Structure formats: C-alpha cells, structure tokens
Amino acid sequence: MEWEGVLMSKSCKPLHPGLFLLGAATAALVFAAPQTCAEALQQGLALCGGPLLVSLFPFLVVSALIMRSGAGEVLGVLLWPVVRCIGLHSRSAGSVLLIGLVGGFAPAAAATAEAVRSRELTSQEASALLPACICSGPSFVILLGSRTAGVCLFAAQVLAGWLTAALLCRVRGIPEPLPAPPAAAQTEPPPALDTILAQAAVTYLKLCGFVLYFRLLAAGCGLLLPAALAPFPAMLLEVCSGCDYAARTGLWASGLCCAALSVQGASVLLQVRTLCPPEVSLRSLLWGRLLHLPLSLALFYLGLPQSAVESFNTLCARVVPMRRVPTDCAL
C-alpha cells in the first residue's frame, strides 16, 4: 500500500502540455535540420561574443554601479520632466529611463530591479515604468545606408514607449511613491566591485541563453513557412531574428523592422522576467506592447522623410541589426 501511494503521488504530478510540446518540437527540429540549427546557434554565438557583448555587458555593470552608488536620484533629474509626464514621482525612475535610453532593455530591467531592492521604487512604480524603458538601445538599431531612418526608428521606439507608459498610468492609476527611507538604510554600504562584476557576468550568460534558444526556434519557423510569412513568428520569438527576416522582405522592410523592435519578442520578455524581482508584475509591459506597436509605426512614418523610406525599403540584406559600424552611424 505504501508503494502504491508513492506511485500514485508521482503519477498525479501535473502535466504541462505547452512545455512538453515545446520540448518535443525543439528535439525534432535538431534532428530534422541539424545544419540549420548549427548555423542559427553559430550566428547567436557570434552575436553574444561580439556586438552583444560590447553593447550589453558594460551597461549591465554601469546600471549596477549607478543604482548601487546612490547616483540614481542625481541622474534621474535629467529625465525628470518625462517621469512627471508619465505620472511617477521617484527621481530614481529618471535614472532607469536614462539607462534604458542608452543601454537598452536589459540594463533598464536590471536598474529597475536594483531600484526595487534598494526601496527607491515600489513594485507598482517599477511595473508602470517598464513600458517606457523596455526598448532596444541605439546599438541594437543600426541601419546601413540611411542614417535618417535609423534616428527616426530609434526616436519612434523611445517616444512610443514614453507615451504608452503615460497612457497606462492614467488608465490603471498612478502608483503611490515610497515614503522616505530611514537614515540607517541610506548609509548602508554598497556591495563590493567584485560582487557587481560577478553578478553582471552571470546575468549576461543567462541573457545569451535566451538569445540562442529563441534564435534556434526562429530558424525552425523560417524553414516551415514561406519566405513572406517567416518574419512574423521570428518577430514574436526573438527581436534580432525578426529584424533579419524583415530586412529580406524588400518593400515592407521598414515597417516590419519597426514592428519587430516594438514587439521585442518572447526572448526579451522572458529576459525582463528573469532580471526583475517576482513582485514586479509584467502586466503593464504586456498590455503596453499592444499600444506601442501602432504608436511606434505612426511616429516612425510621420517623422521619416519619404526619400529615406524608399532608401530603407530597397536595402534588403544591407539592413543588418546589431553590427559594429562607425559611431556616427550608430547614433
């Protein structure tokens, strides 16, 4: 009877069909198209060991140093008007926005997590702030041959994020800020530099794992679908793969690249979930993606000269995300 109880308890373990199907599909893909999988993983490793390493890892360190040194409230003054327009009150929210503006979504999510742990932001404030700072940084949006298109695309993503956060705050209610912490909490010494660097290195390796896996899935979807439909599942899975496929479509390349950067994909959303504390809800961020997409497309096409649109749409393979180019092109 005792063994029967053990067997029954094991057999009653809940089954998660989605995870099982995902695992089966991944295994089938590796056996069905090993060369395609190898190429996708090699491309992902090239990104993680090259452009992604340069554009992401230093900013993970920078975000931790800024937030843990107490400089977050000082730097937050630079974007204080944007924070007030969104509807928040914490000066640290401005520093998170600034880090996201320069470094992109991962450093912004890491800075948000640091602000919550240090009680500079409430979990409700952090959740309301995520739609404004989770976007691709300037080093992720590089358009060869049309500097105007690159600037307009980046500006559209940032402005759409700020507008989305402001609209959601008005609809869902403006969260109350934290009361001033006691003096003992303010004099707490920051962690050692070796701890900050070690945590940044571990975080970077975790993020690279997401990039590799979802790039693999995007390559599998590209095999199964016609070339005209391949960008859409890629955009939902991994932003870089979505931009790669979008750049090959020709006529709709500009709009599809803008959409890929707006949606960000499951890879980015899961990376943000990994970086943020469990008490920070991603509900505002998920709803914000629905608002961000039409806003970013509208801002992009309204602010982009027609000549730049035509130049962008004829680039095809020359539109390459996350490649190292001179600084003036990146900006």
Side-chain angles (χ1 to χ4, degrees), residues 136-157:
S136 298
S139 58
F140 286 78
V141 188
I142 298 172
L143 307 180
L144 302 179
S146 180
R147 189 182 309 172
T148 303
V151 172
C152 290
L153 182 55
F154 178 66
Q157 298 294 314

mmCIF file of all heavy atoms in Angstrom, residues 136-157:
data_model
loop_
_atom_site.group_PDB
_atom_site.id
_atom_site.type_symbol
_atom_site.label_atom_id
_atom_site.label_comp_id
_atom_site.label_asym_id
_atom_site.label_seq_id
_atom_site.Cartn_x
_atom_site.Cartn_y
_atom_site.Cartn_z
ATOM 1 N N SER A 136 14.824 48.624 -27.492
ATOM 2 C CA SER A 136 16.182 48.383 -27.979
ATOM 3 C C SER A 136 16.992 49.665 -27.921
ATOM 4 O O SER A 136 16.499 50.734 -28.291
ATOM 5 C CB SER A 136 16.140 47.841 -29.412
ATOM 6 O OG SER A 136 15.466 46.605 -29.462
ATOM 7 N N GLY A 137 18.226 49.556 -27.454
ATOM 8 C CA GLY A 137 19.098 50.708 -27.374
ATOM 9 C C GLY A 137 19.626 51.100 -28.742
ATOM 10 O O GLY A 137 19.422 50.397 -29.740
ATOM 11 N N PRO A 138 20.330 52.222 -28.824
ATOM 12 C CA PRO A 138 20.835 52.682 -30.127
ATOM 13 C C PRO A 138 21.789 51.701 -30.786
ATOM 14 O O PRO A 138 21.849 51.626 -32.014
ATOM 15 C CB PRO A 138 21.525 54.012 -29.793
ATOM 16 C CG PRO A 138 21.761 53.972 -28.318
ATOM 17 C CD PRO A 138 20.655 53.153 -27.743
ATOM 18 N N SER A 139 22.530 50.917 -29.996
ATOM 19 C CA SER A 139 23.447 49.952 -30.601
ATOM 20 C C SER A 139 22.726 48.768 -31.206
ATOM 21 O O SER A 139 23.318 47.997 -31.964
ATOM 22 C CB SER A 139 24.450 49.457 -29.545
ATOM 23 O OG SER A 139 23.768 48.869 -28.458
ATOM 24 N N PHE A 140 21.433 48.579 -30.897
ATOM 25 C CA PHE A 140 20.632 47.497 -31.476
ATOM 26 C C PHE A 140 19.934 47.930 -32.754
ATOM 27 O O PHE A 140 19.404 47.095 -33.480
ATOM 28 C CB PHE A 140 19.571 47.023 -30.473
ATOM 29 C CG PHE A 140 20.130 46.209 -29.346
ATOM 30 C CD1 PHE A 140 20.778 46.834 -28.299
ATOM 31 C CD2 PHE A 140 20.006 44.839 -29.332
ATOM 32 C CE1 PHE A 140 21.295 46.093 -27.253
ATOM 33 C CE2 PHE A 140 20.525 44.095 -28.288
ATOM 34 C CZ PHE A 140 21.173 44.724 -27.249
ATOM 35 N N VAL A 141 19.889 49.241 -33.019
ATOM 36 C CA VAL A 141 19.130 49.755 -34.162
ATOM 37 C C VAL A 141 20.111 50.477 -35.077
ATOM 38 O O VAL A 141 20.315 51.676 -34.962
ATOM 39 C CB VAL A 141 18.008 50.712 -33.711
ATOM 40 C CG1 VAL A 141 17.114 51.079 -34.892
ATOM 41 C CG2 VAL A 141 17.184 50.082 -32.610
ATOM 42 N N ILE A 142 20.740 49.735 -35.969
ATOM 43 C CA ILE A 142 21.748 50.290 -36.867
ATOM 44 C C ILE A 142 21.309 50.010 -38.289
ATOM 45 O O ILE A 142 21.200 48.865 -38.709
ATOM 46 C CB ILE A 142 23.135 49.675 -36.605
ATOM 47 C CG1 ILE A 142 23.592 50.007 -35.185
ATOM 48 C CG2 ILE A 142 24.151 50.195 -37.606
ATOM 49 C CD1 ILE A 142 24.851 49.292 -34.776
ATOM 50 N N LEU A 143 21.049 51.044 -39.036
ATOM 51 C CA LEU A 143 20.568 50.901 -40.403
ATOM 52 C C LEU A 143 21.610 51.444 -41.357
ATOM 53 O O LEU A 143 21.837 52.644 -41.444
ATOM 54 C CB LEU A 143 19.255 51.670 -40.573
ATOM 55 C CG LEU A 143 18.163 51.310 -39.544
ATOM 56 C CD1 LEU A 143 16.917 52.129 -39.807
ATOM 57 C CD2 LEU A 143 17.857 49.842 -39.593
ATOM 58 N N LEU A 144 22.275 50.576 -42.078
ATOM 59 C CA LEU A 144 23.315 50.989 -43.009
ATOM 60 C C LEU A 144 22.704 51.644 -44.234
ATOM 61 O O LEU A 144 21.756 51.136 -44.805
ATOM 62 C CB LEU A 144 24.149 49.770 -43.426
ATOM 63 C CG LEU A 144 24.835 49.011 -42.283
ATOM 64 C CD1 LEU A 144 25.596 47.832 -42.858
ATOM 65 C CD2 LEU A 144 25.767 49.916 -41.513
ATOM 66 N N GLY A 145 23.243 52.774 -44.639
ATOM 67 C CA GLY A 145 22.812 53.435 -45.853
ATOM 68 C C GLY A 145 21.792 54.522 -45.637
ATOM 69 O O GLY A 145 21.568 55.334 -46.516
ATOM 70 N N SER A 146 21.146 54.593 -44.479
ATOM 71 C CA SER A 146 20.152 55.625 -44.224
ATOM 72 C C SER A 146 20.230 56.028 -42.763
ATOM 73 O O SER A 146 19.570 55.436 -41.910
ATOM 74 C CB SER A 146 18.744 55.134 -44.568
ATOM 75 O OG SER A 146 17.797 56.152 -44.302
ATOM 76 N N ARG A 147 21.068 57.014 -42.467
ATOM 77 C CA ARG A 147 21.223 57.478 -41.097
ATOM 78 C C ARG A 147 19.922 58.097 -40.591
ATOM 79 O O ARG A 147 19.557 57.950 -39.426
ATOM 80 C CB ARG A 147 22.352 58.503 -41.026
ATOM 81 C CG ARG A 147 22.747 58.892 -39.616
ATOM 82 C CD ARG A 147 23.840 59.943 -39.640
ATOM 83 N NE ARG A 147 24.939 59.526 -40.490
ATOM 84 C CZ ARG A 147 25.955 60.325 -40.811
ATOM 85 N NH1 ARG A 147 25.972 61.576 -40.387
ATOM 86 N NH2 ARG A 147 26.938 59.884 -41.577
ATOM 87 N N THR A 148 19.202 58.795 -41.472
ATOM 88 C CA THR A 148 17.939 59.413 -41.089
ATOM 89 C C THR A 148 16.935 58.364 -40.632
ATOM 90 O O THR A 148 16.223 58.538 -39.635
ATOM 91 C CB THR A 148 17.358 60.210 -42.266
ATOM 92 O OG1 THR A 148 18.318 61.177 -42.688
ATOM 93 C CG2 THR A 148 16.076 60.911 -41.872
ATOM 94 N N ALA A 149 16.855 57.251 -41.346
ATOM 95 C CA ALA A 149 15.926 56.185 -40.973
ATOM 96 C C ALA A 149 16.270 55.608 -39.607
ATOM 97 O O ALA A 149 15.392 55.317 -38.800
ATOM 98 C CB ALA A 149 15.930 55.086 -42.036
ATOM 99 N N GLY A 150 17.566 55.444 -39.334
ATOM 100 C CA GLY A 150 17.973 54.902 -38.045
ATOM 101 C C GLY A 150 17.597 55.799 -36.890
ATOM 102 O O GLY A 150 17.078 55.342 -35.862
ATOM 103 N N VAL A 151 17.833 57.100 -37.042
ATOM 104 C CA VAL A 151 17.490 58.046 -35.982
ATOM 105 C C VAL A 151 15.988 58.085 -35.761
ATOM 106 O O VAL A 151 15.502 58.072 -34.621
ATOM 107 C CB VAL A 151 18.038 59.446 -36.328
ATOM 108 C CG1 VAL A 151 17.530 60.481 -35.328
ATOM 109 C CG2 VAL A 151 19.557 59.439 -36.339
ATOM 110 N N CYS A 152 15.224 58.118 -36.856
ATOM 111 C CA CYS A 152 13.761 58.163 -36.742
ATOM 112 C C CYS A 152 13.212 56.888 -36.117
ATOM 113 O O CYS A 152 12.265 56.938 -35.314
ATOM 114 C CB CYS A 152 13.135 58.393 -38.111
ATOM 115 S SG CYS A 152 13.400 60.051 -38.780
ATOM 116 N N LEU A 153 13.785 55.747 -36.465
ATOM 117 C CA LEU A 153 13.316 54.488 -35.914
ATOM 118 C C LEU A 153 13.567 54.426 -34.414
ATOM 119 O O LEU A 153 12.686 54.043 -33.630
ATOM 120 C CB LEU A 153 13.996 53.316 -36.616
ATOM 121 C CG LEU A 153 13.599 51.905 -36.195
ATOM 122 C CD1 LEU A 153 12.097 51.720 -36.309
ATOM 123 C CD2 LEU A 153 14.326 50.881 -37.026
ATOM 124 N N PHE A 154 14.758 54.826 -33.994
ATOM 125 C CA PHE A 154 15.068 54.807 -32.560
ATOM 126 C C PHE A 154 14.199 55.805 -31.802
ATOM 127 O O PHE A 154 13.663 55.498 -30.732
ATOM 128 C CB PHE A 154 16.552 55.121 -32.347
ATOM 129 C CG PHE A 154 16.953 55.162 -30.902
ATOM 130 C CD1 PHE A 154 16.920 54.024 -30.129
ATOM 131 C CD2 PHE A 154 17.366 56.349 -30.319
ATOM 132 C CE1 PHE A 154 17.283 54.064 -28.790
ATOM 133 C CE2 PHE A 154 17.727 56.402 -28.992
ATOM 134 C CZ PHE A 154 17.696 55.248 -28.219
ATOM 135 N N ALA A 155 14.043 57.011 -32.349
ATOM 136 C CA ALA A 155 13.216 58.023 -31.688
ATOM 137 C C ALA A 155 11.764 57.574 -31.589
ATOM 138 O O ALA A 155 11.094 57.804 -30.566
ATOM 139 C CB ALA A 155 13.310 59.347 -32.453
ATOM 140 N N ALA A 156 11.251 56.915 -32.634
ATOM 141 C CA ALA A 156 9.873 56.432 -32.599
ATOM 142 C C ALA A 156 9.680 55.386 -31.511
ATOM 143 O O ALA A 156 8.658 55.380 -30.806
ATOM 144 C CB ALA A 156 9.492 55.856 -33.963
ATOM 145 N N GLN A 157 10.665 54.487 -31.341
ATOM 146 C CA GLN A 157 10.554 53.467 -30.309
ATOM 147 C C GLN A 157 10.535 54.094 -28.914
ATOM 148 O O GLN A 157 9.734 53.711 -28.055
ATOM 149 C CB GLN A 157 11.725 52.482 -30.418
ATOM 150 C CG GLN A 157 11.792 51.705 -31.709
ATOM 151 C CD GLN A 157 10.637 50.758 -31.889
ATOM 152 O OE1 GLN A 157 10.276 50.033 -30.973
ATOM 153 N NE2 GLN A 157 10.041 50.770 -33.055
#
